[in-house]
Amino acid sequence: MPVRAVLFDLDDTLLHHTRTSRQALSRVFTYQLEQQETTLERLCFLNDSIYYELFPRFLNGELTREQARAIRFWRMLKDCGQDATTEKSEQEQSEHLALAYEKAYNLERICIPGAVNLLRHLKNRVEVGILTNNPVQSVQDEMLLEVPLEHWFVSGAVGLKKPDPKFFLYALEAVGCSPEDAVMVGDSWEKDVLPARALGMRAVWFNPYLLEAPLLDIQVLHEFEPLENALNVILGLEHGPNEIKA
């Protein structure tokens, strides 16, 4: 059956996130790292874990994006052994760190090699959309991808997040496609591959770290170049072995 729509995860599928976040944290917490008050591994762990802890409170409107971000960075500062003497200084320090992180992150963020060319060619054949757990649709992300896309499904706007099947169904209904005619491409086995597969979508696991696939009948791409191979795998034009080293 011909593919009618392809949904892509964004972070660490089309755009670098983990590497970008690590570089930004190293800039923002330079002093704490130099003083050995923390480690980069610890900062990365806290940044991710606190973000995911607070994200439901952002989705339900309890916290704004700015409030959640400030709380996250204040807790990271406290983990380094720093305390503010007043509420005002606590707020000022956390907001300063959060803004510095965002600026550094935006400077470091780049596309996954081959992603832009892949999107450009897919858009001429099928409906293409972004399905992301990000809080907002970033203008910078749109500019980095270069290819104007009509379909952006962002957790912060929809009020749903992966792996909730409702989020996938929301996107599929918006593009006018049934699960059987759609493909999900993402780097997360738990949030992208498994929920898509459970709905009847065909899933392609973007696996640049060459991890072993838990299931042998899932198509795998390690990179998006060469273009022809990536298109063949995503559109199901070739049915080769599971491990496709593009």
Side-chain angles (χ1 to χ4, degrees):
M1 185 176 296
V3 173
R4 294 181 52 212
V6 179
L7 299 179
F8 282 91
D9 171 56
L10 186 64
D11 287 348
D12 288 329
T13 299
L14 296 176
L15 298 175
H16 280 292
H17 167 70
T18 300
R19 186 178 74 178
T20 305
S21 178
R22 186 179 180 91
Q23 291 168 330
L25 289 170
S26 68
R27 287 191 182 193
V28 173
F29 287 91
T30 299
Y31 174 80
Q32 290 81 6
L33 290 167
E34 290 177 346
Q35 296 299 311
Q36 298 184 338
E37 295 174 354
T38 188
T39 65
L40 190 52
E41 287 69 26
R42 175 67 177 171
L43 290 172
C44 291
F45 168 76
L46 288 172
N47 190 47
D48 288 344
S49 60
I50 298 172
Y51 174 88
Y52 287 115
E53 175 192 333
L54 297 176
F55 194 67
R57 297 172 63 187
F58 163 76
L59 279 186
N60 66 26
E62 182 182 346
L63 293 173
T64 66
R65 182 190 179 206
E66 291 73 21
Q67 289 171 332
R69 190 170 55 187
I71 292 171
R72 183 167 95 243
F73 279 89
W74 177 242
R75 286 174 58 179
M76 293 168 71
L77 256 186
K78 290 184 70 175
D79 190 77
C80 296
Q82 291 190 233
D83 271 307
T85 57
T86 67
E87 183 178 345
K88 182 178 180 181
S89 60
E90 173 182 326
Q91 181 178 351
E92 288 177 346
Q93 288 181 62
S94 58
E95 289 179 351
H96 172 76
L97 276 178
L99 289 173
Y101 172 82
E102 183 176 26
K103 182 178 180 180
Y105 184 93
N106 288 339
L107 286 172
E108 298 288 351
R109 188 133 154 111
I110 60 173
C111 284
I112 301 289
V116 171
N117 199 29
L118 175 61
L119 290 177
R120 185 175 291 117
H121 282 79
L122 277 174
K123 189 181 176 185
N124 293 329
R125 303 189 185 195
V126 297
E127 295 288 339
V128 178
I130 305 295
L131 188 70
T132 173
N133 281 354
N134 284 357
V136 296
Q137 181 176 340
S138 163
V139 174
Q140 175 172 325
D141 288 351
E142 293 181 49
M143 294 176 64
L144 286 171
L145 293 179
E146 298 182 23
V147 183
L149 298 176
E150 178 184 354
H151 306 296
W152 280 76
F153 307 103
V154 181
S155 283
V158 177
L160 298 167
K161 65 176 182 175
K162 298 179 292 183
D164 189 340
K166 294 179 183 178
F167 195 18
F168 291 81
L169 292 173
Y170 176 93
L172 291 172
E173 182 177 358
V175 299
C177 183
S178 65
E180 294 76 16
D181 298 331
V183 178
M184 178 69 206
V185 182
D187 71 298
S188 173
W189 189 263
E190 293 79 15
K191 297 177 183 178
D192 297 319
V193 174
L194 291 183
R197 176 186 171 92
L199 287 173
M201 300 174 68
R202 190 162 61 81
V204 175
W205 187 28
F206 183 62
N207 176 24
Y209 300 109
L210 311 185
L211 302 176
E212 183 178 353
L215 298 173
L216 297 179
D217 59 344
I218 295 293
Q219 289 292 307
V220 180
L221 276 173
H222 299 311
E223 46 188 341
F224 294 138
E225 295 173 328
L227 171 65
E228 182 179 0
N229 184 76
L231 287 172
N232 287 342
V233 173
I234 292 171
L235 297 177
L237 303 179
E238 283 186 358
H239 302 284
N242 173 260
E243 291 294 315
I244 299 179
K245 299 181 180 180

